[in-house]
Amino acid sequence: MTCLEMYPANFVMLGKESVGKTSLVERYVHHRFLVGPYQNTIGAAFVAKPIQVGDKVVTLGIWDTAGSERYEAMSRIYYRGARAAIVCYDLTDTSSFQRARFWVKELQNCDKHCKIYLCGTKIDLTESDRGLRQVDYHDVQDFADEIGAKHFETSSKTGNNVEETGIDLDQKKDSYFSSCCHS
Ligand SMILES: Nc1nc2c(ncn2[C@@H]2O[C@H](COP(=O)(O)OP(=O)(O)OP(=O)(O)O)[C@@H](O)[C@H]2O)c(=O)[nH]1
């Protein structure tokens, strides 16, 4: 029996509205950045991506939750049982990092085994104008160390750090997905 049949691995996107969760999913799954007016997610959206882990195929299910606080209760439905959570914050918005801390606390209260990734978004903006940065890299790294999370800064617009590093959960050597297949 394949890993696909036995171990569907879900992960969830969490974070304040407009931090760029949907854009990250678009970049990761479809390798594109959608331009045009911002459309907020309503409730949550589900996207599936088959990935190869060793000689197995895992269907990675991604729950892209709505960041608006009015959907907060609904978001809880999606992170319960999630194998991993990508908690996003916008590098140009301090309050989005406060919101990220909130989601980390929620995840820790709900499931200690959920693997947490902290993802700073829109690094293209801070690279083109350093003055736009409101969230310090080292502050987040300290927090990541404290909670045992991986930490990345990405741009869905340019693709920077999305494919190459942690958000690309497609890493074949990733022990997390290997354990999904072999546990
Ligand atoms: N410059 C830049 N803009 C981005 C990036 N990622 C997202 N955006 C923009 O930020 C806005 C919000 O992006 P979304 O991906 O819809 O944000 P979201 O977190 O899914 O929002 P909700 O559905 O409300 O929770 C859009 O206008 C995007 O084009 C990025 O990496 N760089």
Side-chain angles (χ1 to χ4, degrees):
M1 190 175 284
T2 64
C3 186
L4 175 89
E5 290 157 303
M6 288 178 70
Y7 300 108
N10 286 344
F11 75 87
V12 64
M13 311 291 298
L14 293 167
K16 189 184 164 184
E17 66 188 321
S18 190
V19 293
K21 300 176 295 296
T22 302
S23 302
L24 207 52
V25 172
E26 277 295 319
R27 173 59 76 179
Y28 174 57
V29 176
H30 301 297
H31 312 286
R32 66 186 179 194
F33 179 71
L34 298 178
V35 284
Y38 156 61
Q39 284 192 309
N40 64 315
T41 306
I42 296 171
F46 183 78
V47 182
K49 176 173 172 159
I51 64 166
Q52 188 86 28
V53 179
D55 60 351
K56 307 263 172 57
V57 177
V58 177
T59 297
L60 197 57
I62 306 168
W63 282 107
D64 174 19
T65 67
S68 167
E69 292 193 23
R70 99 176 74 131
Y71 297 113
E72 188 177 300
M74 203 183 268
S75 296
R76 291 196 174 93
I77 298 167
Y78 301 106
Y79 66 70
R80 289 208 173 106
R83 292 264 193 171
I86 315 290
V87 180
C88 299
Y89 60 94
D90 179 341
L91 292 168
T92 69
D93 173 8
T94 319
S95 70
S96 70
F97 184 56
Q98 296 313 316
R99 191 71 182 150
R101 284 178 175 273
F102 164 83
W103 282 119
V104 167
K105 220 176 258 173
E106 287 277 312
L107 288 163
Q108 288 173 327
N109 289 339
C110 174
D111 182 357
K112 299 228 173 329
H113 302 293
C114 181
K115 185 166 178 170
I116 298 175
Y117 293 77
L118 291 172
C119 180
T121 59
K122 311 185 187 178
I123 197 174
D124 57 287
L125 295 178
T126 64
E127 281 174 344
S128 60
D129 179 353
R130 283 175 184 230
L132 289 177
R133 181 181 276 270
Q134 288 191 11
V135 185
D136 181 70
Y137 176 88
H138 299 286
D139 289 347
V140 182
Q141 189 55 51
D142 288 347
F143 180 56
D145 291 342
E146 195 184 302
I147 62 171
K150 286 188 178 180
H151 166 217
F152 306 101
E153 292 189 343
T154 62
S155 168
S156 301
K157 188 171 185 179
T158 63
N160 187 3
N161 248 358
V162 176
E163 298 294 333
E164 293 83 344
T165 57
I167 296 307
D168 190 350
L169 294 171
D170 190 357
Q171 298 168 76
K172 295 168 184 60
K173 290 192 276 308
D174 188 290
S175 58
Y176 159 66
F177 282 110
S178 297
S179 70
C180 287
C181 292
H182 298 118
S183 58

